[in-house]
Amino acid sequence: MKSRMQSEKAGTSYDAIVVGGGFHGCSTALHLAKKGLSVLVIEKNAVGRHASGVNAGGVRQLMRDVAEIPLSMAAMDRWFDLESLLGPELAQSCHFIGDVGQIGVAGDSSEMAWCEKRVNELRGLGYDFEELLSRNDIRKLLPNVSELCVGGVISRRDGHANPARTTRAFRLRAEQLGAMFEEGIGATGLQQSGNRWVVETSAGPRHAQVVVNCGGAWANEFARYAGDELPLEPVGLTLMVTARLPKFLDAVVVGIDRTLSFKQTESGTVVIGGGVPAIVDMPNETAETVADRMVESATTVLDFFPQLRNATIVRTWAGLEAVTPDLIPTIGPSEAAAGVWHAFGFSGHGFQLGPIVGSVLADLIVDGKSALSIDAFSPNRFTSGAPVFAGHSH
Ligand SMILES: Cc1cc2nc3c(=O)[nH]c(=O)nc-3n(C[C@H](O)[C@H](O)[C@H](O)COP(=O)(O)OP(=O)(O)OC[C@H]3O[C@@H](n4cnc5c(N)ncnc54)[C@H](O)[C@@H]3O)c2cc1C
């Protein structure tokens, strides 16, 4: 891999181009720049405009797909050490609060049985970060929880951060390390030119040896330009926030088999989510909340925490997220186009993985190896046989 000093020319030619300025694009750019590459991030809107800037900020290992656990554990180490990656000021600006725990609350015996099975399964695999909570245990941690709650499961290291500020911090650190960002330009095609790539954009061609597709809910379009037909569904996820309330909650609370996720922020507001679907509007690149659907989420919160009955919802919003058929991300090299990499499809839980995925990709791209395996996320799990790259564009 050529170093920045060896890059052809500044302006349109780089060692690496990252398509998409979400958290994963910013983290990938940061880690590539840290290794000395010249990097350009192309963002069709504004950095952090989509899922990465509007998500619930949950930083959890709790109840993850088993395939994600090694990455998630390594990510958690990074969250606790943001300072060495970002420097003290930017690290602080992320508002990461860890060690408050994420708690899955069981509302009946079948959910409790699921928790027991899950904790045993993880123990069998050598993981002990999820612990079972009895009815009494959970009341010590959540004194205000209603009688409905019969117990649950906790991952104690977990916490939350401010998503928009975290994405911004990673972008600023990437820029400090020399990465360039172009906002308001979309990547509209990809052509091969010798051993380099020409990314066609609405502002003209940009050249690089390596291209990383961090395109979120649009990533399958860019994958298609590379000759990869990869499954992805854009979904809209809803959040709502209350007016400020006196402090009553440190942990993040999530449902086991219910639409429930909420946390109290430092300012006292309560952010409520849990996967309520919004109406997706891809042509306008947005998603609309549907009041009727949010009743279920609000009712579940009240079932567990009746004290919130008089809380005022001050705002609702929705974000567009990329979901894969097996609900784990697609991360790895393109089958069709050497030098093109994909990292997308985080399926509702990619914020926590942000600090590690970019780092692993940079290791693989620059050094050809990584201490952490991403085999489980390989794009080729969805395909049979690699198509031949021909060059594609709109
Ligand atoms: C409401 C909601 C709540 C969530 N809560 C949590 C949570 O609590 N914890 C958690 O871990 N995760 C959560 N998530 C998931 C998390 O937000 C995402 O997994 C993560 O932010 C994905 O980051 P990304 O960089 O892959 O995608 P994005 O943030 O969507 O960024 C992709 C970017 O690529 C750009 N782009 C796409 N195509 C092109 C192109 N051709 N040219 C130029 N630019 C392009 C887009 O404009 C976009 O800005 C939540 C998501 C939502 C929507």
Side-chain angles (χ1 to χ4, degrees), residues 19-25 42-60 64 185-188 214-219 221-222 225 235-239 261 263 285 317-321 343-353:
V19 175
F23 191 22
H24 285 277
I42 293 172
E43 167 54 53
K44 65 179 166 50
N45 197 295
V47 167
R49 163 64 184 83
H50 288 291
S52 299
V54 303
N55 67 56
V59 176
R60 72 171 164 87
R64 280 201 173 260
I185 73 165
T188 55
C214 296
W218 299 266
E221 281 177 27
F222 190 82
Y225 304 153
V235 300
L237 298 175
T238 302
L239 291 174
S261 158
K263 65 180 68 69
E285 302 197 354
W317 71 95
L320 283 168
E321 172 67 327
F344 62 81
F346 291 92
S347 304
H349 39 263
F351 180 60
Q352 193 263 353
L353 297 175

Short mmCIF file of all heavy atoms in Angstrom, two decimals, residues 19-25 42-60 64 185-188 214-219 221-222 225 235-239 261 263 285 317-321 343-353, ligand 1:
data_model
loop_
_atom_site.label_atom_id
_atom_site.label_comp_id
_atom_site.label_asym_id
_atom_site.label_seq_id
_atom_site.Cartn_x
_atom_site.Cartn_y
_atom_site.Cartn_z
N VAL A 19 -16.83 5.67 1.01
CA VAL A 19 -18.13 6.15 0.56
C VAL A 19 -19.08 6.09 1.76
O VAL A 19 -19.38 5.02 2.27
CB VAL A 19 -18.67 5.29 -0.61
CG1 VAL A 19 -20.09 5.72 -0.98
CG2 VAL A 19 -17.74 5.41 -1.81
N GLY A 20 -19.53 7.26 2.20
CA GLY A 20 -20.47 7.33 3.33
C GLY A 20 -19.82 7.91 4.57
O GLY A 20 -18.83 7.38 5.07
N GLY A 21 -20.39 9.01 5.03
CA GLY A 21 -19.84 9.70 6.21
C GLY A 21 -20.69 9.48 7.44
O GLY A 21 -21.02 10.40 8.17
N GLY A 22 -21.09 8.21 7.69
CA GLY A 22 -21.70 7.85 8.97
C GLY A 22 -20.58 7.51 9.95
O GLY A 22 -19.39 7.74 9.68
N PHE A 23 -20.96 6.94 11.08
CA PHE A 23 -19.95 6.61 12.10
C PHE A 23 -18.94 5.62 11.54
O PHE A 23 -17.73 5.75 11.76
CB PHE A 23 -20.67 6.03 13.32
CG PHE A 23 -19.80 5.87 14.54
CD1 PHE A 23 -18.64 6.62 14.71
CD2 PHE A 23 -20.17 4.99 15.55
CE1 PHE A 23 -17.85 6.47 15.85
CE2 PHE A 23 -19.39 4.84 16.69
CZ PHE A 23 -18.24 5.57 16.84
N HIS A 24 -19.42 4.63 10.76
CA HIS A 24 -18.48 3.63 10.24
C HIS A 24 -17.55 4.22 9.20
O HIS A 24 -16.36 3.88 9.16
CB HIS A 24 -19.24 2.41 9.73
CG HIS A 24 -19.74 1.58 10.86
ND1 HIS A 24 -18.95 0.66 11.51
CD2 HIS A 24 -20.93 1.59 11.51
CE1 HIS A 24 -19.64 0.12 12.51
NE2 HIS A 24 -20.84 0.67 12.54
N GLY A 25 -18.06 5.13 8.38
CA GLY A 25 -17.19 5.80 7.41
C GLY A 25 -16.14 6.65 8.11
O GLY A 25 -14.96 6.63 7.75
N ILE A 42 -16.49 10.52 1.01
CA ILE A 42 -17.52 11.13 0.16
C ILE A 42 -18.87 10.91 0.83
O ILE A 42 -19.26 9.78 1.11
CB ILE A 42 -17.54 10.45 -1.24
CG1 ILE A 42 -16.24 10.75 -1.98
CG2 ILE A 42 -18.73 10.90 -2.05
CD1 ILE A 42 -16.09 9.96 -3.27
N GLU A 43 -19.57 11.99 1.12
CA GLU A 43 -20.88 11.89 1.78
C GLU A 43 -21.90 12.66 0.96
O GLU A 43 -21.75 13.85 0.74
CB GLU A 43 -20.78 12.45 3.21
CG GLU A 43 -22.10 12.69 3.91
CD GLU A 43 -23.04 11.47 3.95
OE1 GLU A 43 -22.61 10.40 4.41
OE2 GLU A 43 -24.21 11.61 3.49
N LYS A 44 -22.95 11.95 0.55
CA LYS A 44 -23.93 12.58 -0.35
C LYS A 44 -24.77 13.62 0.36
O LYS A 44 -25.36 14.49 -0.26
CB LYS A 44 -24.82 11.54 -1.01
CG LYS A 44 -25.71 10.77 -0.06
CD LYS A 44 -26.56 9.78 -0.84
CE LYS A 44 -27.21 8.76 0.06
NZ LYS A 44 -27.93 9.31 1.22
N ASN A 45 -24.84 13.54 1.67
CA ASN A 45 -25.63 14.50 2.44
C ASN A 45 -24.67 15.26 3.36
O ASN A 45 -23.75 15.90 2.89
CB ASN A 45 -26.73 13.75 3.20
CG ASN A 45 -27.82 14.67 3.68
OD1 ASN A 45 -27.58 15.54 4.51
ND2 ASN A 45 -29.02 14.52 3.15
N ALA A 46 -24.88 15.17 4.65
CA ALA A 46 -23.93 15.75 5.62
C ALA A 46 -23.45 14.63 6.53
O ALA A 46 -24.20 13.68 6.79
CB ALA A 46 -24.62 16.84 6.44
N VAL A 47 -22.23 14.74 6.99
CA VAL A 47 -21.68 13.69 7.86
C VAL A 47 -22.59 13.52 9.08
O VAL A 47 -22.99 14.49 9.72
CB VAL A 47 -20.24 14.08 8.29
CG1 VAL A 47 -19.75 13.19 9.43
CG2 VAL A 47 -19.30 13.99 7.10
N GLY A 48 -22.95 12.26 9.37
CA GLY A 48 -23.79 11.96 10.53
C GLY A 48 -25.26 12.27 10.33
O GLY A 48 -26.05 12.19 11.27
N ARG A 49 -25.68 12.59 9.12
CA ARG A 49 -27.08 12.95 8.86
C ARG A 49 -28.02 11.76 9.06
O ARG A 49 -29.18 11.94 9.42
CB ARG A 49 -27.22 13.51 7.43
CG ARG A 49 -28.63 13.54 6.87
CD ARG A 49 -29.54 14.49 7.64
NE ARG A 49 -30.90 14.44 7.16
CZ ARG A 49 -31.81 13.53 7.53
NH1 ARG A 49 -31.49 12.58 8.39
NH2 ARG A 49 -33.04 13.58 7.06
N HIS A 50 -27.53 10.57 8.78
CA HIS A 50 -28.45 9.42 8.83
C HIS A 50 -28.29 8.63 10.15
O HIS A 50 -28.09 9.24 11.18
CB HIS A 50 -28.32 8.61 7.54
CG HIS A 50 -28.94 9.35 6.39
ND1 HIS A 50 -30.29 9.55 6.28
CD2 HIS A 50 -28.38 10.01 5.33
CE1 HIS A 50 -30.57 10.27 5.21
NE2 HIS A 50 -29.42 10.56 4.60
N ALA A 51 -28.38 7.32 10.10
CA ALA A 51 -28.49 6.52 11.34
C ALA A 51 -27.48 6.94 12.40
O ALA A 51 -27.80 7.02 13.59
CB ALA A 51 -28.31 5.04 11.00
N SER A 52 -26.25 7.23 11.97
CA SER A 52 -25.19 7.49 12.95
C SER A 52 -25.42 8.73 13.79
O SER A 52 -24.94 8.81 14.92
CB SER A 52 -23.85 7.61 12.23
OG SER A 52 -23.56 6.40 11.58
N GLY A 53 -26.16 9.68 13.25
CA GLY A 53 -26.36 10.92 14.00
C GLY A 53 -27.65 10.94 14.80
O GLY A 53 -27.84 11.80 15.66
N VAL A 54 -28.55 10.01 14.52
CA VAL A 54 -29.89 10.10 15.12
C VAL A 54 -30.26 8.86 15.93
O VAL A 54 -31.41 8.69 16.31
CB VAL A 54 -30.97 10.35 14.03
CG1 VAL A 54 -30.66 11.59 13.23
CG2 VAL A 54 -31.12 9.14 13.10
N ASN A 55 -29.31 7.97 16.17
CA ASN A 55 -29.68 6.72 16.85
C ASN A 55 -29.82 6.91 18.35
O ASN A 55 -29.65 8.01 18.87
CB ASN A 55 -28.70 5.59 16.48
CG ASN A 55 -27.31 5.82 17.03
OD1 ASN A 55 -27.13 6.00 18.23
ND2 ASN A 55 -26.31 5.84 16.15
N ALA A 56 -30.11 5.82 19.06
CA ALA A 56 -30.39 5.91 20.49
C ALA A 56 -29.13 5.97 21.33
O ALA A 56 -29.21 6.15 22.55
CB ALA A 56 -31.25 4.72 20.91
N GLY A 57 -27.98 5.79 20.72
CA GLY A 57 -26.72 5.92 21.46
C GLY A 57 -26.42 4.76 22.40
O GLY A 57 -25.52 4.84 23.23
N GLY A 58 -27.12 3.67 22.24
CA GLY A 58 -26.88 2.53 23.12
C GLY A 58 -25.55 1.85 22.80
O GLY A 58 -25.26 1.56 21.64
N VAL A 59 -24.74 1.64 23.83
CA VAL A 59 -23.43 0.98 23.65
C VAL A 59 -23.52 -0.33 24.43
O VAL A 59 -23.30 -0.37 25.63
CB VAL A 59 -22.30 1.90 24.17
CG1 VAL A 59 -20.95 1.20 24.08
CG2 VAL A 59 -22.27 3.20 23.35
N ARG A 60 -23.92 -1.38 23.71
CA ARG A 60 -24.22 -2.62 24.44
C ARG A 60 -23.58 -3.86 23.84
O ARG A 60 -23.49 -4.00 22.61
CB ARG A 60 -25.74 -2.83 24.53
CG ARG A 60 -26.39 -3.23 23.24
CD ARG A 60 -27.84 -3.63 23.40
NE ARG A 60 -28.49 -3.63 22.10
CZ ARG A 60 -28.50 -4.65 21.26
NH1 ARG A 60 -27.94 -5.79 21.60
NH2 ARG A 60 -29.08 -4.56 20.08
N ARG A 64 -26.39 -9.62 22.08
CA ARG A 64 -25.92 -9.57 20.69
C ARG A 64 -25.92 -10.96 20.07
O ARG A 64 -25.74 -11.96 20.77
CB ARG A 64 -24.50 -9.02 20.64
CG ARG A 64 -24.48 -7.54 20.74
CD ARG A 64 -23.21 -6.97 20.20
NE ARG A 64 -23.36 -5.53 20.19
CZ ARG A 64 -23.67 -4.81 19.12
NH1 ARG A 64 -23.81 -5.38 17.96
NH2 ARG A 64 -23.83 -3.51 19.21
N ILE A 185 -21.82 15.43 -1.97
CA ILE A 185 -21.56 14.78 -3.27
C ILE A 185 -21.77 13.27 -3.10
O ILE A 185 -21.35 12.68 -2.12
CB ILE A 185 -20.17 15.09 -3.87
CG1 ILE A 185 -19.04 14.38 -3.13
CG2 ILE A 185 -19.91 16.59 -3.91
CD1 ILE A 185 -17.73 14.41 -3.92
N GLY A 186 -22.47 12.71 -4.05
CA GLY A 186 -22.77 11.28 -3.99
C GLY A 186 -21.87 10.49 -4.92
O GLY A 186 -21.48 10.99 -5.99
N ALA A 187 -21.53 9.27 -4.52
CA ALA A 187 -20.79 8.36 -5.41
C ALA A 187 -21.82 7.69 -6.31
O ALA A 187 -22.76 7.06 -5.83
CB ALA A 187 -20.04 7.34 -4.59
N THR A 188 -21.65 7.82 -7.61
CA THR A 188 -22.67 7.35 -8.55
C THR A 188 -22.19 6.24 -9.47
O THR A 188 -22.93 5.78 -10.35
CB THR A 188 -23.17 8.53 -9.41
OG1 THR A 188 -22.02 9.12 -10.04
CG2 THR A 188 -23.91 9.56 -8.59
N CYS A 214 -19.17 2.32 2.98
CA CYS A 214 -19.84 2.45 4.28
C CYS A 214 -21.14 3.20 4.05
O CYS A 214 -21.44 4.18 4.74
CB CYS A 214 -18.96 3.21 5.27
SG CYS A 214 -17.42 2.39 5.70
N GLY A 215 -21.90 2.76 3.09
CA GLY A 215 -23.05 3.53 2.60
C GLY A 215 -24.36 3.32 3.33
O GLY A 215 -25.41 3.76 2.85
N GLY A 216 -24.35 2.68 4.50
CA GLY A 216 -25.56 2.54 5.30
C GLY A 216 -26.72 1.98 4.49
O GLY A 216 -26.59 0.97 3.77
N ALA A 217 -27.86 2.62 4.57
CA ALA A 217 -29.08 2.11 3.94
C ALA A 217 -29.01 2.13 2.41
O ALA A 217 -29.89 1.59 1.74
CB ALA A 217 -30.28 2.92 4.42
N TRP A 218 -27.97 2.76 1.85
CA TRP A 218 -27.80 2.82 0.39
C TRP A 218 -26.64 1.95 -0.08
O TRP A 218 -26.27 1.96 -1.24
CB TRP A 218 -27.54 4.27 -0.06
CG TRP A 218 -28.68 5.17 0.29
CD1 TRP A 218 -29.72 5.51 -0.53
CD2 TRP A 218 -28.92 5.82 1.54
NE1 TRP A 218 -30.59 6.33 0.15
CE2 TRP A 218 -30.12 6.54 1.41
CE3 TRP A 218 -28.24 5.86 2.76
CZ2 TRP A 218 -30.66 7.29 2.46
CZ3 TRP A 218 -28.78 6.60 3.81
CH2 TRP A 218 -29.97 7.30 3.64
N ALA A 219 -26.04 1.21 0.83
CA ALA A 219 -24.78 0.52 0.52
C ALA A 219 -24.92 -0.53 -0.55
O ALA A 219 -23.97 -0.82 -1.29
CB ALA A 219 -24.20 -0.10 1.79
N GLU A 221 -26.58 -0.25 -3.23
CA GLU A 221 -26.44 0.43 -4.53
C GLU A 221 -24.97 0.53 -4.89
O GLU A 221 -24.56 0.23 -6.01
CB GLU A 221 -27.02 1.85 -4.47
CG GLU A 221 -28.51 1.92 -4.56
CD GLU A 221 -29.00 3.36 -4.42
OE1 GLU A 221 -28.26 4.30 -4.75
OE2 GLU A 221 -30.12 3.52 -3.94
N PHE A 222 -24.16 0.98 -3.95
CA PHE A 222 -22.74 1.13 -4.27
C PHE A 222 -22.10 -0.24 -4.50
O PHE A 222 -21.26 -0.41 -5.39
CB PHE A 222 -21.98 1.90 -3.19
CG PHE A 222 -20.61 2.26 -3.65
CD1 PHE A 222 -20.40 3.38 -4.45
CD2 PHE A 222 -19.52 1.45 -3.35
CE1 PHE A 222 -19.14 3.68 -4.95
CE2 PHE A 222 -18.26 1.74 -3.85
CZ PHE A 222 -18.07 2.87 -4.65
N TYR A 225 -22.38 -1.24 -8.00
CA TYR A 225 -21.39 -0.63 -8.91
C TYR A 225 -20.11 -1.47 -8.95
O TYR A 225 -19.41 -1.51 -9.95
CB TYR A 225 -21.00 0.78 -8.47
CG TYR A 225 -22.13 1.76 -8.31
CD1 TYR A 225 -22.00 2.82 -7.42
CD2 TYR A 225 -23.32 1.64 -9.03
CE1 TYR A 225 -23.03 3.74 -7.26
CE2 TYR A 225 -24.35 2.55 -8.87
CZ TYR A 225 -24.19 3.59 -7.98
OH TYR A 225 -25.20 4.49 -7.80
N VAL A 235 -34.67 0.14 6.62
CA VAL A 235 -35.82 0.22 7.53
C VAL A 235 -35.76 1.55 8.29
O VAL A 235 -34.68 2.11 8.48
CB VAL A 235 -35.88 -0.95 8.56
CG1 VAL A 235 -35.97 -2.28 7.88
CG2 VAL A 235 -34.70 -0.91 9.50
N GLY A 236 -36.93 2.01 8.68
CA GLY A 236 -36.99 3.23 9.50
C GLY A 236 -37.21 2.83 10.94
O GLY A 236 -38.07 2.01 11.24
N LEU A 237 -36.40 3.38 11.84
CA LEU A 237 -36.56 3.08 13.27
C LEU A 237 -36.90 4.37 14.00
O LEU A 237 -36.35 5.44 13.69
CB LEU A 237 -35.27 2.48 13.84
CG LEU A 237 -34.83 1.14 13.24
CD1 LEU A 237 -33.49 0.71 13.81
CD2 LEU A 237 -35.89 0.07 13.52
N THR A 238 -37.78 4.25 14.97
CA THR A 238 -38.36 5.42 15.63
C THR A 238 -37.79 5.64 17.03
O THR A 238 -37.55 4.66 17.75
CB THR A 238 -39.88 5.19 15.76
OG1 THR A 238 -40.41 4.97 14.47
CG2 THR A 238 -40.56 6.37 16.40
N LEU A 239 -37.63 6.87 17.39
CA LEU A 239 -37.29 7.22 18.78
C LEU A 239 -38.20 8.34 19.25
O LEU A 239 -38.72 9.11 18.43
CB LEU A 239 -35.83 7.68 18.88
CG LEU A 239 -34.76 6.61 18.65
CD1 LEU A 239 -33.38 7.26 18.65
CD2 LEU A 239 -34.83 5.53 19.72
N SER A 261 -36.94 -0.04 24.75
CA SER A 261 -35.55 0.33 25.01
C SER A 261 -35.61 1.76 25.52
O SER A 261 -36.21 2.61 24.88
CB SER A 261 -34.74 0.26 23.72
OG SER A 261 -33.59 1.06 23.83
N LYS A 263 -33.49 4.93 28.08
CA LYS A 263 -32.39 5.37 28.93
C LYS A 263 -32.67 6.80 29.34
O LYS A 263 -33.38 7.54 28.64
CB LYS A 263 -31.06 5.30 28.17
CG LYS A 263 -30.99 6.24 26.98
CD LYS A 263 -29.66 6.16 26.25
CE LYS A 263 -29.47 4.84 25.54
NZ LYS A 263 -30.37 4.64 24.38
N GLU A 285 -35.00 10.30 1.07
CA GLU A 285 -33.96 9.94 2.04
C GLU A 285 -34.37 10.23 3.47
O GLU A 285 -33.63 10.84 4.25
CB GLU A 285 -32.64 10.65 1.70
CG GLU A 285 -32.16 10.31 0.31
CD GLU A 285 -30.71 10.66 0.09
OE1 GLU A 285 -30.11 11.27 0.98
OE2 GLU A 285 -30.18 10.29 -0.97
N TRP A 317 -38.67 11.13 16.34
CA TRP A 317 -37.94 11.17 15.08
C TRP A 317 -37.65 9.74 14.62
O TRP A 317 -37.87 8.79 15.37
CB TRP A 317 -36.65 11.98 15.19
CG TRP A 317 -35.55 11.37 15.99
CD1 TRP A 317 -34.50 10.64 15.53
CD2 TRP A 317 -35.35 11.49 17.42
NE1 TRP A 317 -33.67 10.27 16.58
CE2 TRP A 317 -34.17 10.79 17.75
CE3 TRP A 317 -36.07 12.11 18.46
CZ2 TRP A 317 -33.70 10.69 19.06
CZ3 TRP A 317 -35.58 12.01 19.75
CH2 TRP A 317 -34.41 11.31 20.04
N ALA A 318 -37.19 9.64 13.40
CA ALA A 318 -36.87 8.31 12.86
C ALA A 318 -35.59 8.39 12.06
O ALA A 318 -35.23 9.45 11.54
CB ALA A 318 -38.01 7.81 11.98
N GLY A 319 -34.89 7.28 11.97
CA GLY A 319 -33.66 7.22 11.19
C GLY A 319 -33.72 6.02 10.25
O GLY A 319 -34.43 5.04 10.52
N LEU A 320 -32.97 6.11 9.17
CA LEU A 320 -32.92 5.02 8.19
C LEU A 320 -31.76 4.09 8.52
O LEU A 320 -30.61 4.54 8.62
CB LEU A 320 -32.72 5.58 6.79
CG LEU A 320 -33.95 6.19 6.13
CD1 LEU A 320 -33.56 6.97 4.89
CD2 LEU A 320 -34.96 5.10 5.78
N GLU A 321 -32.05 2.83 8.68
CA GLU A 321 -31.02 1.86 9.02
C GLU A 321 -30.99 0.75 7.97
O GLU A 321 -32.01 0.41 7.36
CB GLU A 321 -31.29 1.29 10.42
CG GLU A 321 -30.42 0.12 10.85
CD GLU A 321 -28.95 0.46 11.05
OE1 GLU A 321 -28.42 1.32 10.34
OE2 GLU A 321 -28.31 -0.20 11.90
N ALA A 343 -18.68 -2.44 4.39
CA ALA A 343 -18.96 -2.44 5.84
C ALA A 343 -20.31 -1.76 6.03
O ALA A 343 -20.39 -0.53 6.11
CB ALA A 343 -17.86 -1.71 6.60
N PHE A 344 -21.34 -2.55 6.05
CA PHE A 344 -22.70 -1.98 6.16
C PHE A 344 -23.66 -3.03 6.69
O PHE A 344 -23.27 -4.18 6.94
CB PHE A 344 -23.17 -1.46 4.78
CG PHE A 344 -23.29 -2.52 3.71
CD1 PHE A 344 -24.42 -3.32 3.65
CD2 PHE A 344 -22.28 -2.71 2.77
CE1 PHE A 344 -24.54 -4.30 2.66
CE2 PHE A 344 -22.41 -3.68 1.78
CZ PHE A 344 -23.54 -4.48 1.73
N GLY A 345 -24.90 -2.63 6.84
CA GLY A 345 -25.93 -3.60 7.26
C GLY A 345 -25.88 -3.89 8.75
O GLY A 345 -26.03 -5.04 9.16
N PHE A 346 -25.71 -2.85 9.55
CA PHE A 346 -25.51 -3.08 10.98
C PHE A 346 -26.81 -3.39 11.72
O PHE A 346 -26.81 -3.65 12.92
CB PHE A 346 -24.72 -1.93 11.59
CG PHE A 346 -23.29 -1.93 11.12
CD1 PHE A 346 -22.90 -1.20 10.00
CD2 PHE A 346 -22.35 -2.72 11.75
CE1 PHE A 346 -21.58 -1.25 9.53
CE2 PHE A 346 -21.03 -2.78 11.29
CZ PHE A 346 -20.65 -2.05 10.19
N SER A 347 -27.91 -3.38 11.00
CA SER A 347 -29.17 -3.98 11.43
C SER A 347 -29.68 -3.51 12.80
O SER A 347 -30.16 -4.32 13.60
CB SER A 347 -29.03 -5.52 11.41
OG SER A 347 -28.65 -5.94 10.11
N GLY A 348 -29.48 -2.23 13.08
CA GLY A 348 -30.06 -1.65 14.30
C GLY A 348 -29.14 -1.61 15.49
O GLY A 348 -29.51 -1.11 16.56
N HIS A 349 -27.89 -2.14 15.33
CA HIS A 349 -27.02 -2.14 16.51
C HIS A 349 -25.55 -1.86 16.13
O HIS A 349 -24.63 -2.41 16.73
CB HIS A 349 -27.16 -3.44 17.29
CG HIS A 349 -27.30 -4.66 16.40
ND1 HIS A 349 -28.52 -5.21 16.08
CD2 HIS A 349 -26.38 -5.38 15.75
CE1 HIS A 349 -28.34 -6.23 15.28
NE2 HIS A 349 -27.04 -6.36 15.06
N GLY A 350 -25.36 -1.00 15.14
CA GLY A 350 -24.00 -0.76 14.65
C GLY A 350 -23.26 0.35 15.35
O GLY A 350 -22.04 0.47 15.18
N PHE A 351 -23.94 1.15 16.15
CA PHE A 351 -23.25 2.26 16.80
C PHE A 351 -22.15 1.73 17.72
O PHE A 351 -21.01 2.20 17.69
CB PHE A 351 -24.27 3.11 17.57
CG PHE A 351 -23.69 4.29 18.28
CD1 PHE A 351 -23.03 5.28 17.58
CD2 PHE A 351 -23.82 4.42 19.66
CE1 PHE A 351 -22.49 6.39 18.24
CE2 PHE A 351 -23.28 5.51 20.32
CZ PHE A 351 -22.62 6.50 19.62
N GLN A 352 -22.49 0.74 18.51
CA GLN A 352 -21.50 0.21 19.46
C GLN A 352 -20.27 -0.33 18.74
O GLN A 352 -19.16 -0.26 19.27
CB GLN A 352 -22.14 -0.90 20.31
CG GLN A 352 -21.32 -1.31 21.53
CD GLN A 352 -20.46 -2.56 21.32
OE1 GLN A 352 -20.56 -3.24 20.28
NE2 GLN A 352 -19.62 -2.87 22.29
N LEU A 353 -20.45 -0.85 17.52
CA LEU A 353 -19.33 -1.49 16.82
C LEU A 353 -18.44 -0.49 16.09
O LEU A 353 -17.37 -0.85 15.58
CB LEU A 353 -19.87 -2.52 15.79
CG LEU A 353 -20.64 -3.71 16.35
CD1 LEU A 353 -21.20 -4.56 15.20
CD2 LEU A 353 -19.75 -4.58 17.24
C1 LIG B 1 -33.47 5.16 15.43
C2 LIG B 1 -32.24 4.31 15.52
C3 LIG B 1 -31.76 3.88 16.77
C4 LIG B 1 -30.61 3.11 16.86
N1 LIG B 1 -30.11 2.81 18.10
C5 LIG B 1 -28.91 2.18 18.20
C6 LIG B 1 -28.33 1.95 19.47
O1 LIG B 1 -28.89 2.34 20.49
N2 LIG B 1 -27.14 1.29 19.53
C7 LIG B 1 -26.50 0.85 18.40
O2 LIG B 1 -25.42 0.23 18.52
N3 LIG B 1 -27.00 1.10 17.18
C8 LIG B 1 -28.19 1.76 17.05
N4 LIG B 1 -28.72 2.01 15.83
C9 LIG B 1 -27.98 1.54 14.64
C10 LIG B 1 -26.85 2.50 14.26
O3 LIG B 1 -27.30 3.82 14.26
C11 LIG B 1 -26.33 2.11 12.88
O4 LIG B 1 -26.07 0.73 12.82
C12 LIG B 1 -25.05 2.85 12.52
O5 LIG B 1 -25.17 4.21 12.80
C13 LIG B 1 -24.73 2.63 11.05
O6 LIG B 1 -23.68 3.49 10.68
P1 LIG B 1 -23.22 3.59 9.18
O7 LIG B 1 -22.08 4.52 9.15
O8 LIG B 1 -23.07 2.22 8.64
O9 LIG B 1 -24.51 4.17 8.40
P2 LIG B 1 -25.09 5.66 8.28
O10 LIG B 1 -24.99 6.41 9.53
O11 LIG B 1 -26.45 5.52 7.67
O12 LIG B 1 -24.13 6.33 7.24
C14 LIG B 1 -24.11 5.97 5.90
C15 LIG B 1 -23.86 7.24 5.11
O13 LIG B 1 -23.53 6.92 3.76
C16 LIG B 1 -24.02 7.94 2.93
N5 LIG B 1 -24.08 7.38 1.58
C17 LIG B 1 -24.74 6.28 1.16
N6 LIG B 1 -24.53 6.05 -0.15
C18 LIG B 1 -23.73 7.04 -0.59
C19 LIG B 1 -23.17 7.36 -1.85
N7 LIG B 1 -23.40 6.61 -2.94
N8 LIG B 1 -22.36 8.46 -1.94
C20 LIG B 1 -22.10 9.22 -0.86
N9 LIG B 1 -22.63 8.96 0.38
C21 LIG B 1 -23.42 7.89 0.51
C22 LIG B 1 -25.37 8.27 3.53
O14 LIG B 1 -25.83 9.56 3.17
C23 LIG B 1 -25.09 8.15 5.03
O15 LIG B 1 -24.76 9.39 5.63
C24 LIG B 1 -29.91 2.73 15.68
C25 LIG B 1 -30.38 3.15 14.43
C26 LIG B 1 -31.52 3.93 14.34
C27 LIG B 1 -31.99 4.39 12.99
#
